[in-house]
Amino acid sequence: MKTSPRRPLILKRRRLPLPVQDAPRDTPEEEPKRPPAQEEPSQVQASKEVAESNSCKFPTGIKIINHPTMPNTQVVAIPNNADIQSIITALTAKGKESGSSGPNKFILISCGGASTHPSGRQPQPQTSNDSKRTEIITEILGPRPATRDANVLRPPGPTLGQRLENCAGGDTTGCTLDNSLTNIQWLEKMSSDGLGSCSIKQEMEEKENCHPEQSQVKMEEPSGTSTCWQDSMSQRPPYSYMAMIQFAINSTERKRMTLKDIYTWIEDHFPYFKHIAKPGWKNSIRHNLSLHDMFVRETSANGKVSFWTIHPSANRYLTLDQVFKQQKRPNPELRRNMTIKTELPLGARRKMKPLLPRVSSYLVPIQFPVNQSLVLQPSVKVPLPLAASLMSSELARHSKRVRIAPKVSALCFSQLVECVTPFTLPLLPFQLLLADEGIAPLPPAGPVKEEKPLLGEGLLPLLPVQSIKEEETQHGEDMPQLARPIKVESPPLEEWPSPCPSFKEELSHSWEDSSCSPTPRPKKSYSGLKSPARCVSEMLVIKRREKREMSRSRRKQHLQPPCLDEPELVFSEGPSTSRRVTEAPLLAEPVSHLRCLQEEGGPFKTPIKETLPISSTPSKSILPKTPESWRLTPPAKAEGLDFSPVRTPQGTFGSLPDSLGLMDLSTTPLKSIPLFDSPRELLNSEPFDLASDPFSSSSPSDLEVPKPGSPELQVPSLSANRSLTEGLVLDTMNDSLSKILLDISFPGLEEDPLSSDNITWSQFIPELR
DNA sequence: CTATGTAAACAAC
DNA sequence: GTTGTTTACATAG
């Protein structure tokens, strides 16, 4: 189709221009916003239901609304005077009761805020809304991307899968800013996507998903959207080769597959390759296998058969199934893509984002519901003390990025996610930044700009924890390479199916390697595993590589920390999966977290190649350190990297405390959480840190989060254009509470709301008023 | 610049 | 011919 010489195949995803500004076309009418009410009926109902139910349980004045985009997520508007703890307790109970199927994430927002606000600016416009609405929206459409984040975010709770779903949404929130933003996006989506049916209903039903069994093979159908999917089958899948390879490999129990099987799997699952694609696609597959460090080649014991595996640290265990599901729900993207193409006019189309792959993906798109979406009762006002927020992932695509904060967990939430809200773009720039409490520390130094660095870290933060630590510790900077071997971390053994895997690169260059020894670093290494013989052979290989490396081309891309982009999914089911991360030691949930973390980065994103020094790759890496980023990442933080940071416009945020975050939420100490009347307060206030309390202790000193002092960092920086607000997100699944910062910029406003202190939640969310 | 896709040259089996 | 690696280049963001 595409005939471009070079790229015969073009991914559609890229194609779609953002409607954003142009949007006009797309949604002209629609977007204009439908009043919330109008939205999907189904949604509405759902929301109502929820509300009702909630209302029962909770003190009066509390409004609960289903999050428009996030499944299993509700936005809870809490009056100032309400007893937060009790509410949290109630929500927690509720969430638990509901289990994965029900709402398990709650974004807490204080409503009365308006009152509080002295600020003057309450937005008028919005105000108007207040009265109006009572209802809200609901689920539906979430933006897809969110899911990913979700994963990330999600702690390990129950099953990841569930989480994902739950969280998936990420998001959330309700933030609806003003109309503008929201509408467009989502509405648009809705309409355009047509998700409709499939997604919506199913969404609610997520449950199904939960158990998905997915045979991976057939995933397509699972959803039922088969038609859509099928249609798409003839088209090039929206997944990168790297993603497809991962899907293929992860579809097996042992998580390993021969090249041939990979080809077969892909052909089976994506007819496009079987029937339409040029033969060269196989070459591309091979190319990807060789290029990305996350793919590790193992040789069978006898040495005759080579299996390709995914480096545990990088493996998110994504399966097509999972991705597919997620997409459905939350995002309609795929759907969109598929359908859209045909249906929508170009303008209308959204761009597809590469699902899995792109690094940028780290960013999670967040969608905000349209403003309307939330509605609180008029009467209710919440002060906002709470910040609630949400987070989860979201999608981001738009213009901005949101970072997701990790769960509160331990120390830090710090993670921020940057999201870009894709859709919204046009509308408004609303950004969310999640920050943990501490978060902020920005990376002072660096300009942050680079996302990448961030990326890696950013999301990861969580993940890394374990790995990171280890690395850190191990590394230090230099751990001898020897140490590396330690890698054991990677749980290779267990995880790795193959008994004796020999990885090409044993040395691992990645991580360390680059720097280290000149020696070879073959791609992957799991040292322990390989047999001697292999080692030798490997060595040879390595040598070659080294040479090459010297050269510059793209070499294998090293793993990096994860990113999120991908659809997240976390694995779920996989038996094996479970542990890999042995390392995780720290966390209680380790596994999941870890996994997430690692995975995040992993899979899709290519790890950064950090490049060896030499390597051809340009890694931009700022971090010279490690090539292997993925592991290393954390440390970085220490170093000043930011992990999670949000990148604010200017900068970024800081790092995560890394590990901290990971810790676990389980104990969330919500109790003491302060509520903030206005977003502004939040900003000013220190993070409350959950972390501090409970975790603080836990957190290693080193880890320390910059938080307190630092707050400003972010803020200031942010201030420039944005405003920040904070919110709390209660994830009952995880028992975690997270705080996030929302960075919101209003189009209309010149100033940042923040800057003006005036800002109130209501401004952001009219309904609250 | 980076990530990704494609093509192709080579090398080892 | 298959499998792996690399290099080179193109394209989109």
Side-chain angles (χ1 to χ4, degrees):
Chain A
M1 316 214 138
K2 308 206 113 235
T3 49
S4 64
R6 283 309 182 139
R7 303 181 112 190
L9 301 180
I10 296 173
L11 296 185
K12 283 127 185 201
R13 18 157 152 179
R14 295 192 172 178
R15 266 211 177 314
L16 305 180
L18 297 183
V20 179
Q21 302 175 348
D22 299 344
R25 68 171 287 348
D26 300 349
T27 51
E29 357 29 277
E30 301 171 345
E31 298 174 356
K33 345 217 95 245
R34 306 169 162 189
Q38 297 178 351
E39 299 220 352
E40 307 294 341
S42 62
Q43 294 176 346
V44 174
Q45 293 176 342
S47 64
K48 291 178 180 179
E49 293 175 351
V50 173
E52 294 176 353
S53 65
N54 293 335
S55 63
C56 301
K57 299 177 181 180
F58 304 90
T60 59
I62 294 174
K63 299 296 177 176
I64 298 174
I65 321 168
N66 286 336
H67 187 281
T69 61
M70 300 180 62
N72 300 327
T73 299
Q74 295 183 332
V75 176
V76 181
I78 304 169
N80 295 340
N81 52 359
D83 176 349
I84 297 171
Q85 290 188 344
S86 62
I87 294 169
I88 291 170
T89 300
L91 291 172
T92 299
K94 176 180 178 178
K96 292 185 175 179
E97 292 177 4
S98 306
S100 59
S101 61
N104 45 40
K105 272 198 179 208
F106 301 92
I107 295 172
L108 308 178
I109 299 172
S110 63
C111 301
S115 58
T116 59
H117 73 4
S119 39
R121 149 43 84 41
Q122 303 243 347
Q124 318 46 27
Q126 296 174 346
T127 43
S128 57
N129 297 343
D130 305 349
S131 43
K132 338 176 165 185
R133 286 270 159 84
T134 10
E135 261 321 77
I136 322 191
I137 328 202
T138 356
E139 19 212 11
I140 311 204
L141 331 174
R144 53 246 56 322
T147 56
R148 299 174 185 177
D149 295 351
N151 294 339
V152 174
L153 297 181
R154 293 166 184 209
T159 62
L160 294 181
Q162 293 176 343
R163 293 167 150 306
L164 294 181
E165 295 174 354
N166 299 338
C167 299
D171 58 270
T172 19
T173 347
C175 331
T176 26
L177 287 183
D178 47 273
N179 333 318
S180 52
L181 74 87
T182 53
N183 306 330
I184 296 176
Q185 291 180 317
W186 15 341
L187 293 181
E188 178 183 7
K189 292 179 179 181
M190 300 179 69
S191 61
S192 64
D193 295 349
L195 311 178
S197 57
C198 305
S199 63
I200 297 170
K201 296 176 180 179
Q202 291 178 347
E203 291 178 350
M204 297 312 288
E205 300 175 350
E206 300 309 270
K207 319 169 173 196
E208 298 175 349
N209 295 336
C210 299
H211 41 327
E213 296 326 239
Q214 33 221 357
S215 25
Q216 299 174 338
V217 179
K218 292 325 195 48
M219 326 178 130
E220 301 98 338
E221 306 135 347
S223 51
T225 48
S226 59
T227 58
C228 300
W229 177 249
Q230 293 176 347
D231 294 345
S232 64
M233 293 305 265
S234 60
Q235 298 179 348
R236 188 188 179 92
Y239 309 103
S240 65
Y241 285 120
M242 188 167 74
M244 291 187 285
I245 293 168
Q246 292 180 69
F247 292 151
I249 294 172
N250 285 326
S251 68
T252 63
E253 266 189 31
R254 300 191 66 179
K255 302 293 183 277
R256 68 179 191 176
M257 194 176 259
T258 60
L259 176 64
K260 191 163 208 168
D261 289 338
I262 291 171
Y263 293 152
T264 301
W265 188 93
I266 291 173
E267 290 179 335
D268 290 342
H269 294 273
F270 303 104
Y272 169 84
F273 292 99
K274 191 168 190 177
H275 305 288
I276 302 171
K278 293 179 180 180
W281 71 271
K282 289 182 178 176
N283 184 6
S284 293
I285 292 292
R286 292 193 302 273
H287 168 73
N288 274 268
L289 288 168
S290 295
L291 183 67
H292 301 288
D293 280 343
M294 66 184 299
F295 298 118
V296 179
R297 185 165 57 90
E298 297 179 7
T299 303
S300 61
N302 60 15
K304 302 211 164 170
V305 180
S306 290
F307 292 98
W308 284 98
T309 62
I310 297 172
H311 189 291
S313 297
N315 194 357
R316 291 185 183 181
Y317 302 93
L318 296 176
T319 62
L320 176 59
D321 198 9
Q322 295 174 325
V323 173
F324 184 72
K325 290 178 181 178
Q326 290 184 349
Q327 292 178 339
K328 289 182 200 171
R329 286 206 194 117
N331 331 315
E333 276 191 359
L334 287 184
R335 202 182 268 84
R336 254 189 221 149
N337 297 330
M338 303 171 191
T339 59
I340 290 173
K341 299 175 173 185
T342 59
E343 302 176 352
L344 300 180
L346 298 181
R349 302 174 182 180
R350 282 186 184 70
K351 68 176 41 180
M352 267 184 142
K353 86 179 11 188
L355 298 182
L356 307 180
R358 288 200 146 243
V359 173
S360 42
S361 25
Y362 303 167
L363 306 181
V364 177
I366 295 175
Q367 284 183 331
F368 287 89
V370 175
N371 47 5
Q372 283 93 355
S373 47
L374 296 183
V375 177
L376 295 185
Q377 294 178 346
S379 59
V380 174
K381 297 180 168 193
V382 179
L384 316 171
L386 280 191
S389 11
L390 47 18
M391 183 34 171
S392 7
S393 47
E394 269 300 14
L395 340 160
R397 291 183 177 206
H398 295 321
S399 34
K400 308 192 161 198
R401 298 184 169 121
V402 175
R403 291 179 177 227
I404 296 172
K407 280 185 113 279
V408 176
S409 35
L411 310 175
C412 345
F413 307 131
S414 0
Q415 324 190 327
L416 307 179
V417 175
E418 242 191 2
C419 294
V420 174
T421 39
F423 304 77
T424 51
L425 293 185
L427 303 181
L428 35 125
F430 182 100
Q431 293 179 339
L432 291 184
L433 296 182
L434 294 182
D436 286 346
E437 316 193 344
I439 316 180
L442 307 172
V448 174
K449 44 189 127 223
E450 314 254 2
E451 294 178 353
K452 293 183 175 187
L454 297 179
L455 294 180
E457 301 165 354
L459 299 183
L460 304 185
L462 300 183
L463 311 175
V465 173
Q466 49 184 81
S467 59
I468 294 170
K469 290 182 176 183
E470 293 176 351
E471 294 175 353
E472 293 177 352
T473 58
Q474 296 174 348
H475 267 316
E477 290 202 341
D478 339 299
M479 309 242 341
Q481 281 100 349
L482 301 184
R484 292 321 162 28
I486 301 176
K487 298 169 185 87
V488 177
E489 332 166 341
S490 357
L493 300 182
E494 297 175 355
E495 298 176 340
W496 296 85
S498 59
C500 31
S502 53
F503 295 93
K504 298 175 177 183
E505 310 198 346
E506 301 313 263
L507 301 184
S508 62
H509 64 352
S510 333
W511 349 91
E512 41 212 334
D513 52 350
S514 35
S515 46
C516 310
S517 53
T519 60
R521 32 182 130 251
K523 307 175 156 189
K524 317 184 163 191
S525 48
Y526 291 81
S527 42
L529 306 181
K530 49 178 113 183
S531 62
R534 289 182 175 302
C535 297
V536 174
S537 62
E538 292 176 355
M539 297 297 291
L540 297 178
V541 174
I542 295 169
K543 290 180 180 179
R544 282 193 276 164
R545 290 185 181 176
E546 288 181 352
K547 294 184 201 174
R548 296 169 188 174
E549 289 179 356
M550 299 305 292
S551 60
R552 53 110 159 355
S553 57
R554 308 171 172 179
R555 265 186 167 30
K556 255 185 162 186
Q557 311 211 348
H558 299 71
L559 301 178
Q560 221 180 356
C563 355
L564 306 184
D565 293 348
E566 291 93 347
E568 252 298 305
L569 340 169
V570 177
F571 72 78
S572 40
E573 55 267 353
S576 59
T577 58
S578 51
R579 246 359 226 335
R580 84 194 38 279
V581 182
T582 56
E583 316 149 355
L586 308 178
L587 313 183
E589 310 166 20
V591 174
S592 57
H593 279 308
L594 295 180
R595 187 171 295 155
C596 300
L597 298 179
Q598 297 174 342
E599 292 155 358
E600 295 170 352
F604 296 96
K605 99 184 292 74
T606 309
I608 300 177
K609 31 217 59 255
E610 288 283 343
T611 35
L612 312 182
I614 315 166
S615 71
S616 47
T617 314
S619 48
K620 49 200 49 265
S621 48
I622 300 174
L623 318 182
K625 289 186 153 199
T626 41
E628 302 304 8
S629 25
W630 73 58
R631 298 180 157 209
L632 306 184
T633 324
K637 164 188 157 215
E639 297 171 353
L641 300 185
D642 23 343
F643 268 35
S644 44
V646 167
R647 32 212 80 222
T648 48
Q650 324 154 350
T652 314
F653 281 172
S655 29
L656 298 185
D658 34 359
S659 24
L660 349 178
L662 304 183
M663 305 290 296
D664 95 19
L665 335 173
S666 50
T667 52
T668 313
L670 307 181
K671 313 131 182 218
S672 48
I673 301 168
L675 296 181
F676 299 89
D677 294 342
S678 64
R680 180 53 173 192
E681 293 182 3
L682 294 178
L683 295 179
N684 297 336
S685 65
E686 298 178 356
F688 44 80
D689 335 348
L690 305 179
S692 61
D693 308 345
F695 307 102
S696 57
S697 59
S698 63
S699 61
S701 57
D702 32 349
L703 297 181
E704 47 236 39
V705 178
K707 45 186 158 191
S710 49
E712 45 291 30
L713 6 165
Q714 293 129 344
V715 173
S717 60
L718 296 179
S719 59
N721 302 337
R722 309 173 178 182
S723 60
L724 298 179
T725 59
E726 232 179 11
L728 292 177
V729 177
L730 173 62
D731 181 344
T732 59
M733 295 290 287
N734 299 323
D735 285 342
S736 61
L737 180 60
S738 303
K739 179 162 88 172
I740 60 169
L741 290 178
L742 299 179
D743 181 0
I744 303 169
S745 58
F746 292 85
L749 302 181
E750 296 72 3
E751 299 177 355
D752 292 347
L754 291 182
S755 52
S756 55
D757 294 332
N758 305 334
I759 302 170
T760 62
W761 291 105
S762 61
Q763 291 180 331
F764 296 101
I765 305 170
E767 289 78 352
L768 295 180
R769 300 194 187 153

